[in-house]
Amino acid sequence: MTLALERPSRQYDDLLVKDIKFLIEGLDENIYNIIKDYQPLDQVEYILVDSRNYHYQIMLHDSGKVELMRQQYLSDNRLGEPYEVEIVNIPQFVCCLLG
């Protein structure tokens, strides 16, 4: 007997965006520098989170899609190669942020 499961199409969750914003609001501003900017042409809210070790760019699209780019600071204070990922759930976001 063969069983075929159909993978559901990805639907973006407004709750995911709300939860991410809530987690970012809870970050310690003594450790993280946080800048928020909405770009209406891109229809994206950019949230920049910077610590002394990592630089994060979180992109919250109006469609509900969430992307995260992470870069580590190198010994000469330049940013290293970017690591980009689409975020689909809160545990994945926390893992990428705490990395």
Side-chain angles (χ1 to χ4, degrees), residues 16-58:
L16 175 63
V17 172
K18 289 177 186 175
D19 287 346
I20 287 173
K21 286 183 176 185
F22 177 78
L23 288 173
I24 291 170
E25 290 295 323
L27 292 175
D28 186 346
E29 292 182 6
N30 293 320
I31 298 172
Y32 297 97
N33 184 23
I34 302 168
I35 298 172
K36 298 177 184 177
D37 183 37
Y38 180 77
Q39 293 293 318
L41 291 177
D42 298 335
Q43 297 183 338
V44 175
E45 180 179 357
Y46 293 94
I47 302 173
L48 306 177
V49 178
D50 206 87
S51 69
R52 292 175 181 86
N53 298 320
Y54 289 95
H55 172 79
Y56 303 93
Q57 179 176 309
I58 301 152

Side-chain angles (χ1 to χ4, degrees), residues 1-19:
M1 179 163 123
T2 302
L3 179 62
L5 298 175
E6 237 181 82
R7 173 174 265 178
S9 64
R10 179 168 287 161
Q11 295 181 356
Y12 298 107
D13 186 1
D14 286 338
L15 185 58
L16 175 63
V17 172
K18 289 177 186 175
D19 287 346

Side-chain angles (χ1 to χ4, degrees), residues 59-91:
M59 295 152 278
L60 305 174
H61 297 262
D62 285 356
S63 66
K65 181 178 178 180
V66 178
E67 296 176 288
L68 182 136
M69 181 185 70
R70 182 178 83 176
Q71 292 176 282
Q72 185 173 12
Y73 279 100
L74 304 174
S75 59
D76 60 359
N77 288 330
R78 290 182 305 128
L79 288 171
E81 291 295 316
Y83 167 77
E84 297 181 43
V85 64
E86 183 175 344
I87 302 297
V88 295
N89 57 49
I90 288 298

